[in-house]
Amino acid sequence: MKTMLLTLVAVSALTAAALPAAAAPRGANNINAHQAQIEHRINQGVRGHKLTQREATQLRTQVRQVARLEARYRVNGLQNWERQDLDRRLDRVGAQVTAQMNDRDRGGGHYAGGYRR
């Protein structure tokens, strides 16, 4: 009984601690972290030969476009809808990174075990 009570208290404490973090709005740090995570994934894709240089360049261009849009949004203070728009755009770029890393193109000029001509 005592073990069950301690387990219940521990689970309740963890749940209560997680609620404020989940309810907190995404701030500038989260947008920047999201951008940094995508850039990191792109770099990993190039190093792991899962992205071609051309794909990586196109993806980095999209990340920079979102960063420019963020700068325009910040001129008058970042509104909640603007934050959501930036997150959605970054989610799309992240999905494109995943798709490009999982296609059959390979960095270094390789394609499905052969060389491109």
Side-chain angles (χ1 to χ4, degrees):
M1 181 71 175
K2 190 175 185 180
T3 306
M4 191 164 96
L5 181 60
L6 287 176
T7 303
L8 182 62
V9 169
V11 169
S12 297
L14 288 173
T15 303
L19 286 177
R26 290 185 167 186
N29 292 338
N30 287 349
I31 292 169
N32 293 336
H34 200 166
Q35 290 172 332
Q37 178 212 20
I38 291 170
E39 287 282 351
H40 180 72
R41 288 181 57 218
I42 293 169
N43 293 336
Q44 282 182 321
V46 171
R47 279 194 305 273
H49 302 290
K50 292 184 176 187
L51 290 174
T52 65
Q53 286 297 327
R54 183 176 185 189
E55 290 169 336
T57 299
Q58 290 171 343
L59 293 165
R60 287 183 181 121
T61 298
Q62 291 178 30
V63 173
R64 280 193 305 273
Q65 288 171 343
V66 173
R68 282 194 296 273
L69 180 60
E70 178 187 4
R72 284 198 310 252
Y73 283 169
R74 286 188 182 282
V75 169
N76 295 321
L78 199 58
Q79 302 296 314
N80 195 36
W81 71 268
E82 293 168 324
R83 218 177 243 110
Q84 291 171 350
D85 181 49
L86 294 170
D87 277 328
R88 271 192 302 274
R89 289 171 189 264
L90 289 170
D91 286 342
R92 271 189 244 128
V93 175
Q96 288 177 345
V97 171
T98 301
Q100 292 294 331
M101 287 177 74
N102 291 320
D103 68 8
R104 297 189 60 92
D105 292 346
R106 298 289 180 239
H110 296 84
Y111 179 73
Y115 289 97
R116 286 192 222 162
R117 295 181 194 256

